[in-house]
Amino acid sequence: MAARAGVSRATVSRVVNGSPKVHPDSAQAVRSAIAELGYVPNRAARSLASHQSHAIALVVPEDMTRFLGDAYFASVIKGIAERLERSDYVLSLMVASQAPEPKMLRYLAGGAVDGVVVISHHIGDRSLYQIAGLMPMVFGGRAVVPGIDAYVVDVNNVEGASIATQRLVDRGCRRIASIAGSMSMQSALDRVAGWREVLEAADLEPGPVIDGDYTMHGGARAIREILAEYPDVDGVFVASDLMASGAMPVVLERGLSIPGDIAMVGYDDSPAVEACEVPLTTVRQPSEEMGALMADILVDVLSGNESRDRTTIMPTVLVERDSA
Amino acid sequence: MAARAGVSRATVSRVVNGSPKVHPDSAQAVRSAIAELGYVPNRAARSLASHQSHAIALVVPEDMTRFLGDAYFASVIKGIAERLERSDYVLSLMVASQAPEPKMLRYLAGGAVDGVVVISHHIGDRSLYQIAGLMPMVFGGRAVVPGIDAYVVDVNNVEGASIATQRLVDRGCRRIASIAGSMSMQSALDRVAGWREVLEAADLEPGPVIDGDYTMHGGARAIREILAEYPDVDGVFVASDLMASGAMPVVLERGLSIPGDIAMVGYDDSPAVEACEVPLTTVRQPSEEMGALMADILVDVLSGNESRDRTTIMPTVLVERDSA
DNA sequence: TTGTACGCGTTATCAT
DNA sequence: ATGATAACGCGTACAA
C-alpha cells in the first residue's frame, strides 16, 4: 500500500487522517492507491496506536423482546443515531438480557468503544459502574444513577406524572388508579410518587397502583385487575403509552367508554399511541431530542470538552387528545 | 500485570486464553493478579495479534423506526442473541438507514467483527458484497442474494404465500386481493408470486395488489385503497402480520366482519398478531429458529467448519385462527 | 513536506 | 511449563 502510491506509510497515514501537511500530489497519489487497492485501515491497529475506537455503545439492559416491544426506545435511538451520523463514530447497539453479562462488560472495558450511552437502567444494577470510570458515559431517559461519575439526561418524572394526574383530577375523576412501570426502575417509582402527590393535594383517596411492567401485556393485565377489584375507578394514570395501548382495548371491550366511564392518561407520547383506538391524552417527553442530546454530550466530551452539565432535565408537557 | 503475578506476559496470555499448558500455581497467581488489578485485556491489541475480534455484527439496512416497529425482527434477533450467548462472541447491532453508509462499511471491513448477519436486505443493495469476500456472512429471512459468497437462511416465500392464498380459496373467497410488502425486497416479490400462482391455478381473476410497505400504516393505507376501489373483495392475503394488524381495524371500523365479509391471512406469525382484534390466521415462519441457525452457522464457520450448506430453507406452516 | 523509527498491548513462535 | 522475542498494522514524535 505504501509502495503502491510511491510514498511512505507515514504519509499514507497522514492522508487517511486528513492531515493538512501533505502535498496535494502525494495526497492524490495515495487516494488513488487507496481506491485501486480497496484499502481499509485496520481498526485494531489504529485503535491500538491511537487509543480510540471511534465507536460508541448504546447498552440496553433489557431483554430483546421488551426492547423491541416498546416504541419509546425507537424515538430515543433515532435521536442518537441521527446525531451520530454526522460524526465519525459508529453506533453499536448492545441489548443485554437483564444486567450486562461479564462478556459485554469485558467488551466495553477492553476498549472496544470510546463512550457509552445507557438507557433503561435498572435500580441497583451496579455492573456498569466500573465502566464509567474508564470512559464517558451518559444515562438516558428512564434512569437515575446515584453516586456515579456519569452524565444524565432525564425528565422530571414526578412532575410529569403530576401533570397527568392533575388532568384527571381537573376533569372530575374522583377515584384515580395508576398502572405503574417496572418497579425496578427509578422512573416508575417517580411517576407513582407524582401521581400520589397530586391526589393527596386534592384530598382524594389514592386508588390502586398496579404494576404493569412497562409492557403492553402488563398494561392489559393491570387494568383487568383494577376493573375487577375496584369497579368504582373512574380515572387511571398509565405510566407508559405502551401499557395504555394494552389497557385501552380491555376497557372498551367491557363496554366502558373512554373517557366517559374511565378517563385515561398515558406517558411518553411514543409511537405506541397510534395503536390506541381512542386518541390518547398523554405526557410527552422529548425522547428523540433526549437521544440526540445524549449523543451530543458524548461526542462533545470525547472531543475534550470538560464543561458539560452533568445533568440535564428536559421538559414534559401534556398532549391533550380524547382519552382524558 | 506480568510482573504482578511474577510470571511473563506470555504466561498471562496463556492463562487468559485458557491454555492447558500452565502450571496450576502460575495460573492461580495470574488469576489473583487479574482480580486485584481489575485487569482486562485490551481488545485492540488482542485483535491485532490474533486477527480476531470475537464480535459479530447484525446489520439491518433499515431505518430505526421500521426496524423497531416490526416485531418480526424481535424474534429473529432473539434467536441470534440466545445462540450467541453461549459462545464467546458479542453481538453488535448495526441499524443503517437505507444502504449501509461508508462509515459502517469501513467499520466492518476494518476488522471490527469476525462475521456478519444481514437481515432485511434490499434488492440491488450491493454495498455488502465486498464485505462478504472478507469474512463469513449470513443472509437471513427476507433476503435473497444472487451471486454472492454467503450463507442464506430463508423460507420458501412463494410456497408460504401459496399456503395462505389457498386457504382463502378453500374457504370460498372469489375475489382475493393482496397487501404486499416492500417491493424492494425479494420476499415481497416472492409472496406476490405465490399468491398469483394459486389464483391462476384456481382459475380466479387476481384481485388488486397494493404495496403496504411492510409497515402498519402501510397496511391500513392499502386496505383503504382496496376497499374503496374494489368493494367486491372478499379475501386478502397480507404479506406480514404487522401490515395485517394495521389493516384489520380499518375493515372492522367500516362495519365489515372478519372473516365473514372479508377473510384475512397474514404472514410471519410474529408477536404483531397479538395486536389483532380478531385472531389472525397466518403463515408461520420459524423466525427465532432462523435467527438461532444463522448465528450457529456463523459460529461454526468461524471455528473452521467449511462444510456447512450454503443455503437452508426452513418450513412454513399455516396457523389457523379466526380471520380466515 | 516527507521519511525513519519507535511504541501501542497482545498473541505466536521459538528456544529452554 | 515457561520465557524471550518477533510480529500485528498504524500513529506520531523526531529528524531530515
Side-chain angles (χ1 to χ4, degrees), chain B:
Chain B
M1 170 65 216
R4 188 71 166 85
V7 299
S8 72
R9 300 177 317 189
T11 300
V12 173
S13 175
R14 281 188 270 260
V15 173
V16 169
N17 296 303
S19 165
K21 306 159 175 282
V22 282
H23 192 94
D25 290 354
S26 316
Q28 193 48 53
V30 172
R31 263 188 281 272
S32 357
I34 286 180
E36 289 173 33
L37 275 52
Y39 166 83
V40 176
N42 180 294
R43 271 190 103 77
R46 180 190 278 238
S47 172
L48 183 58
S50 69
H51 297 284
Q52 293 189 20
S53 64
H54 286 284
I56 284 177
L58 169 59
V59 348
V60 189
E62 210 66 71
D63 67 59
M64 206 45 89
T65 312
R66 293 173 81 96
F67 169 64
L68 289 162
D70 196 339
Y72 158 80
F73 292 120
S75 308
V76 178
I77 301 181
K78 193 172 174 216
I80 297 175
E82 279 177 1
R83 173 61 188 84
L84 248 34
E85 208 146 301
R86 47 192 177 75
S87 80
D88 54 352
Y89 288 96
V90 293
L91 210 220
S92 176
L93 228 155
M94 326 230 35
V95 181
S97 36
Q98 306 294 37
E101 342 87 79
K103 202 205 296 181
M104 176 182 300
L105 250 26
R106 289 190 307 127
Y107 179 81
L108 300 174
V113 300
D114 294 337
V116 178
V117 175
V118 182
I119 57 180
S120 197
H121 177 261
H122 291 252
I123 298 172
D125 174 9
R126 300 189 150 265
S127 60
L128 286 165
Y129 282 36
Q130 46 177 299
I131 307 293
L134 304 173
M135 65 192 86
M137 192 157 174
V138 184
F139 281 83
R142 299 167 174 171
V144 163
V145 191
I148 187 177
D149 181 32
Y151 295 82
V152 173
V153 174
D154 203 353
V155 292
N156 185 330
N157 285 293
V158 177
E159 186 179 283
S162 299
I163 295 174
T165 310
Q166 190 61 53
R167 167 65 161 211
L168 258 14
V169 170
D170 290 347
R171 79 184 317 281
C173 296
R174 309 294 303 165
R175 183 67 169 153
I176 302 175
S178 178
I179 296 180
S182 311
M183 289 312 189
S184 68
M185 300 216 258
Q186 189 60 46
S187 62
L189 264 29
D190 288 348
R191 290 173 199 176
V192 169
W195 165 82
R196 193 178 306 276
E197 249 180 29
V198 169
L199 296 187
E200 284 171 358
D203 212 28
L204 251 30
E205 168 95 2
V209 178
I210 310 290
D211 186 343
D213 200 32
Y214 275 144
T215 66
M216 196 169 78
H217 279 318
R221 205 180 312 124
I223 194 70
R224 282 200 195 93
E225 192 169 332
I226 291 174
L227 258 27
E229 311 262 343
Y230 311 86
D232 57 334
V233 163
D234 58 3
V236 49
F237 163 53
V238 189
S240 89
D241 291 343
L242 181 63
M243 292 194 292
S245 75
M248 189 177 283
V250 173
V251 174
L252 299 177
E253 191 176 289
R254 308 255 169 133
L256 265 28
S257 80
I258 297 176
D261 297 317
I262 295 185
M264 186 179 281
V265 180
Y267 202 102
D268 283 344
D269 197 30
S270 82
V273 302
E274 295 170 8
C276 293
E277 195 165 336
V278 1
L280 188 72
T281 290
T282 190
V283 176
R284 173 169 202 281
Q285 58 175 331
S287 315
E288 203 167 320
E289 291 89 328
M290 291 170 79
L293 179 59
M294 287 189 272
D296 203 47
I297 290 174
L298 216 43
V299 171
D300 199 19
V301 171
L302 248 17
S303 77
N305 188 334
E306 292 286 348
S307 61
R308 277 283 196 167
D309 284 341
R310 306 301 277 186
T311 299
T312 308
I313 299 299
M314 307 282 276
T316 52
V317 43
L318 187 74
V319 178
E320 308 183 12
R321 287 198 268 256
D322 303 345
S323 70

Side-chain angles (χ1 to χ4, degrees), chain A residues 8 10-11 14 22-23 26 48:
Chain A
S8 73
T11 300
R14 281 189 268 263
V22 283
H23 192 93
S26 316
L48 184 58

Side-chain angles (χ1 to χ4, degrees), chain A residues 105 121-134 137 139 144-149:
Chain A
L105 252 24
H121 177 261
H122 290 251
I123 296 173
D125 174 9
R126 302 190 147 264
S127 61
L128 286 166
Y129 282 36
Q130 47 177 298
I131 307 293
L134 304 173
M137 191 159 177
F139 281 84
V144 164
V145 192
I148 186 177
D149 183 31

